[in-house]
Amino acid sequence: MNKEYCIAVVGALGAVGSEMIRKLEESSLLIKKLVPLDVKEAVGKEVTFRSSSYKVSEAKAGAFEGVDFAIFSAGAEASSILAPIAVKEGAVVVDNSSQWRMDPSVPLVIPEVNPESLKDHKGIIANPNCSTIQMLVALKPIHDTYSIKRVVVATYQAVSGSGNAAIRELQEQSKDVLEKKETTSHVYPHQIAFNVIPQIDIFLENGYTKEEMKMVHETHKILDKNILVSPTAVRVPVVRSHSEAIMLELNNPYELHEVRDLLSSAQGVVVVDNVDTLSYPMPIDAQGKNEVFVGRIRRDESVVNGLSLFVVSDNLLKGAALNAVQIVEKMVEMKIPLL
Amino acid sequence: MNKEYCIAVVGALGAVGSEMIRKLEESSLLIKKLVPLDVKEAVGKEVTFRSSSYKVSEAKAGAFEGVDFAIFSAGAEASSILAPIAVKEGAVVVDNSSQWRMDPSVPLVIPEVNPESLKDHKGIIANPNCSTIQMLVALKPIHDTYSIKRVVVATYQAVSGSGNAAIRELQEQSKDVLEKKETTSHVYPHQIAFNVIPQIDIFLENGYTKEEMKMVHETHKILDKNILVSPTAVRVPVVRSHSEAIMLELNNPYELHEVRDLLSSAQGVVVVDNVDTLSYPMPIDAQGKNEVFVGRIRRDESVVNGLSLFVVSDNLLKGAALNAVQIVEKMVEMKIPLL
């Protein structure tokens, strides 16, 4: 008989947490119990899961007893304190924050890209940054076949990456601008409605933002440390789904039709690329979908073996909640011992 | 005594045309008469210029008699027919459309970049594409000092580049989305509100859009035919001002502080780049301004002599109306014979 799991979701009421619960509902995992955890203020609120109702408990020591998997989307600070506690209480943690990603003892996993890393887990598994996940799902088949030398990427990132408050901020500011009223900003340092902000996360000493350097370091940890990455991360007034203009230099020559075939048959990828029907990936088409959409596939003549792409995916799903749930599924599928 | 000029604006009521009239008002040019021209349907409407009122006449043969400069912003088709007529009637044409830009007999001019090309004019002078202008104003001082090998650019372009109808479309769609109503698209093939569209202008055989190839060809004609350009042009839900993430490979080593100094003292450029105050160029700050704003200046470690920038400018001003008026001013300043 297959094992039935007890799964906790930490940050169950957040933008990503609520998507995690939906993705767990759709999953083929046998789940005997859901444990929704959140901050003290949310205790007692109800979450529906596979037609049962579960009350939210406080995410704190003791909450993880009997839990097999604890999927965290509660931010780096909460994760730094609670993840080791969860592990101590017997749960395998899949953490969506940046807290553990670069820890050498923590596997950083995209199931389509590096599932074998799961075998090395010591209780905590990190979910990569949203911009990294969709980029690497698209680049993995290309790297396997032609070897990627350098990636130049400019992002067009949705506000939902900053949580539900940011979605409300975009909506309220948009309404204010349309009604010619003054706007106020709380989540972002500047107005995001009808604007673009070339800053995501804090600035580091080298002039890059933390978001940009995540794309560099996580690419090295997940795919290949030899790939050179030049990132620019920009917030755009889109609710959901990140877009990325990606310009690649490959180490080997390629044919465009081969790349299209490779991507078309790649796991988790959908090619949307037909100039006759003006079809290409866009955020409004990707939202609510599980796949990574790739289009604008074209030869970059400005460099040897140059290849350009436009990649879009729902940042709350494959970029966060879905990937975390897929990590759990992959561990079960690969029969990896928990703790 | 300095000459006083008669200046016609073709497409006087459009998004760019009306900005041209405002920029002519602010100009130091001695203007004895403004001739606002537009389509038949607009004839009789009034345009105010330096506290005089001028009636709109039809843009057609005969309308350019006595005109010294005719500044066109009426699209490529109107320009293909009317520009030669205007020249025949004695006017020097400064054309904002794509019609004449790549014609070898037509100078394509950004006054800060290649004013000397004006000397070769034969009646028609072309105003470059908006995305090209702001990019090259920022790149010119860098190219002069370090020699640019390759430019990778991803754009974040405002809807006003498609005219007033596109601004209304963005506003109406945004309102519909906020009120949870269905949206309709007329100007763009897809919804632009809360979305990004990785297509500007039509697709060409090589998989690039015409907008993207304009950035390649115009860079070659204006700045240097040896510069390699890899463009991705994307429409974003912004009313005014284009943004560009630009990643450069230079032929010579540089110091970041030298680049900052160069840009700070470059004509038409304002450096906005202070991570302590979270200052960088953004569309909402650039709109209505004449300058090209440059920030996020940082070393790109993924390539030898790599340099990354974020460049923003008002697409209707330096990207169109202002540059056209500056071409007229520069011709007068350089005492270039008209016809």
Side-chain angles (χ1 to χ4, degrees), chain B residues 9-23 38 73-74 96 159-168 239-240 314-317 320-322:
Chain B
V9 174
V10 185
L13 299 176
V16 173
S18 52
E19 290 295 348
M20 283 172 169
I21 292 171
R22 255 170 261 166
K23 288 298 150 189
D38 212 304
S73 185
N96 192 47
V159 298
S160 52
S162 316
N164 284 328
I167 300 176
R168 282 193 301 272
V239 173
R240 212 166 150 157
D314 189 323
N315 56 305
L316 297 184
L317 298 185
L322 176 66

Side-chain angles (χ1 to χ4, degrees), chain B residues 129-154:
Chain B
N129 182 42
C130 44
S131 332
T132 312
I133 293 176
Q134 69 181 65
M135 180 169 83
L136 296 190
V137 168
L139 298 194
K140 162 78 172 166
I142 298 171
H143 185 57
D144 283 352
T145 311
Y146 306 105
S147 174
I148 295 170
K149 179 183 173 191
R150 179 169 179 242
V151 181
V152 179
V153 54

Side-chain angles (χ1 to χ4, degrees), chain A residues 150 152 155-156 190 195 198-199 207-208 212 230-232 234 237 247 278 280 282-284 296 298-300 302, chain B residues 150 152 155-156 190 194-195 198-199 207-208 212 228 230-232 278 280 282-284 296 298-300 302:
Chain A
R150 180 172 179 240
V152 179
T155 71
Y156 303 69
H190 309 282
N195 193 28
Q199 182 198 352
Y208 284 78
E212 289 162 347
S230 170
T232 301
V234 179
M247 283 66 69
L278 307 186
Y280 28 70
M282 292 189 297
I284 50 166
R296 298 296 321 271
R298 61 207 195 277
R299 191 172 286 280
D300 178 355
S302 75
Chain B
R150 179 169 179 242
V152 179
T155 71
Y156 303 70
H190 309 281
F194 304 104
N195 193 27
Q199 180 198 354
Y208 284 78
E212 289 162 348
L228 300 159
S230 170
T232 301
L278 307 187
Y280 28 72
M282 293 189 295
I284 50 164
R296 299 293 325 268
R298 61 209 195 275
R299 190 171 288 279
D300 177 355
S302 76

Side-chain angles (χ1 to χ4, degrees), chain A residues 198-200 203 207-209 212 231-234, chain B residues 260 272-275 279-281 294-299 308-310:
Chain A
Q199 182 198 352
I200 298 182
F203 279 104
Y208 284 78
T209 58
E212 289 162 347
T232 301
V234 179
Chain B
R260 279 215 178 79
V272 182
D273 194 23
N274 187 335
V275 299
S279 302
Y280 28 72
V294 183
R296 299 293 325 268
I297 304 167
R298 61 209 195 275
R299 190 171 288 279
S308 289
L309 313 166
F310 198 74

Side-chain angles (χ1 to χ4, degrees), chain B residues 2-57:
Chain B
N2 286 323
K3 182 168 158 51
E4 291 195 325
Y5 297 96
C6 173
I7 300 189
V9 174
V10 185
L13 299 176
V16 173
S18 52
E19 290 295 348
M20 283 172 169
I21 292 171
R22 255 170 261 166
K23 288 298 150 189
L24 284 169
E25 276 189 318
E26 292 170 13
S27 153
S28 59
L29 286 167
L30 298 171
I31 301 173
K32 65 180 173 203
K33 194 182 166 195
L34 181 83
V35 181
L37 302 173
D38 212 304
V39 291
K40 211 173 184 173
E41 292 68 31
V43 170
K45 290 193 178 172
E46 295 203 343
V47 164
T48 306
F49 177 76
R50 292 185 180 167
S51 42
S52 297
S53 188
Y54 293 89
K55 280 213 165 119
V56 172
S57 304

Side-chain angles (χ1 to χ4, degrees), chain B residues 258-269:
Chain B
E258 293 170 352
V259 170
R260 279 215 178 79
D261 289 350
L262 264 179
L263 287 167
S264 298
S265 58
Q267 211 188 332
V269 173

